[in-house]
Amino acid sequence: MIAVLDFGGQYTHLIARRFRDLRVAVRIFPHAVSPSDLTDASGIVFSGGPSSVYAQNAPLPDPKIFDLGKPILGLCFGHQFMAKHFGGDVKRSSREYGARTIDVVKKQGVLKGLNRRETVWFSHGDTVLSVPQGFEVLAQSGDAIAAYQKGNWFGLQFHPEVHHTPCGQKVLENFAFAVCGEKKLTSTFSVELLQQDAKARVGEKNVVMGVSGGVDSTVAAFLLKKPLGKKLYPIFVDTGLMRNGEVAEIKAFFKDFPNFVAVDASQRFLSQLEGVSDPEQKRKIIGHLFVDVFEQAAQKVADVGFLAQGTIFSDRVESAATSSVSSKIKSHHNLTLPEKMKWTVLEPLAELYKDEVRALGATLGVPAEIIGRHPFPGPGLAINIVGEVTPEKLGIVRQADFIFIEELKKSGWYDKVFEAFAAVLPCKTVGVKGDERSYEYPVVLRCVHSRDVMTADWVKLPHDLLQTVSSRILNEVEGVNRVFYDVSQKPPSTIRYE
Ligand code: XMP
């Protein structure tokens, strides 16, 4: 296993990701980890970080780490720190970003197999001008030393983990296999390592976890099933705001979990939502009630020590919980649960990216319907209804959404789009049904492409598909006499209604 020490760099998790791409087992540790916790590591990477090595509060590793005699790869901040620590000349300078050319003067160690000149990505403050005694220079960039070596220790001024450094993967490969002697795993992450970690952390305590049928919580539950067995209590709260057939589906997915609990709280949710049309108010009611119901169910479990969650790496980037030394980006509304609770949080997927979570799910036998699922927000169908949530509108949106999704799946479009759903608007318009005038709700179909949810574009679905969906909704769903297709981009719109 390669240990990556986190000095607060924005790319720390990318370093781990690149090693996983090489099918090398990797773990991220806080920068101040005790060297005695690294005895299993085959090699150690010092990540980059925002600090100058001259800053008073710069995060520094325990210097005894060098006594371990293990291979070390210092990147950017790690490169400058190691050079300074052993007496090299490190100049404090202003930050320099972007692509640079380096001259490789010795093609050895981690630079073995590189070209004489390589393009690399810099994002650094301080500059190493001369190496400590006993170190040799492997690459230069103008005055600056871009790479050095001493035995199995290396420093790189650039970031091999980013795509803008084309030779980067080769450098990491050299470090992992030639320097550290790692062997390729059979998959990009080690299921065993993730399971061992969870088992060791949990010990004898019981673990509760909220499951929603979404990709992340389901994959996390499937991962924990083997190491935790009967100690794992997956709790599903039926808010009454789930899609057509979804509750039965979730119960079926979890049938092999001995302590799966499903709580039907639909009446409580619907009665608290009665008469409420403000979107923020709706979200608050749902959020608070969810925590109450979950807590009540969890209190029935004896000796609970942990709350497991399907948090993945991108959730943590948004909530800035990626490391103790990185800077805050934004708060996330879904991460309120543990703050109110007294258990220790267990997040077995916290280092993984979405595509890795999907691949892990496939390895663990999570059903394909779950792995390929579109995002479905926690507040459920309540935010597909603009204004008050009533049983009538819930019925309409549930049926219309089901028809839309069914037709997208039949036509092969479901897997090509990021997210699709139906919503109902809080107004009525005139129509004519049979020989009679009708006065009913409009349904909106929303179907978008997006990479990161910050921006989205509407999908140019074929007209005949829209025609089929519209005819089915108008014929099969009572209370609807118009179907709209939303052709708005985000921004200025959002993906969901509310
Ligand atoms: P918007 O509507 O803000 O949605 O463009 C961006 C993404 O977030 C999802 N979404 C939510 N997810 N709880 C969630 O778990 C929520 O309250 C919530 N609101 C929106 C939405 O489905 C889209 O993928």
Side-chain angles (χ1 to χ4, degrees), residues 283 332-334 375-379 383 418-419 421 453-454 456 490 493-498:
R283 275 177 195 279
H332 198 278
H333 45 108
N334 285 345
F376 184 60
I383 59 171
F418 179 79
E419 184 165 344
F421 58 91
V453 309
M454 302 310 287
K490 172 182 180 175
S493 297
T494 55
I495 297 178
R496 289 275 158 179
Y497 283 63
E498 307 212 359

Side-chain angles (χ1 to χ4, degrees), residues 77-100:
F77 175 84
H79 163 87
Q80 296 137 17
F81 161 71
M82 216 167 20
K84 178 167 174 284
H85 182 77
F86 289 102
D89 180 14
V90 181
K91 187 180 80 172
R92 198 177 195 147
S93 34
S94 52
R95 280 197 96 77
E96 186 187 7
Y97 302 95
R100 293 280 182 283

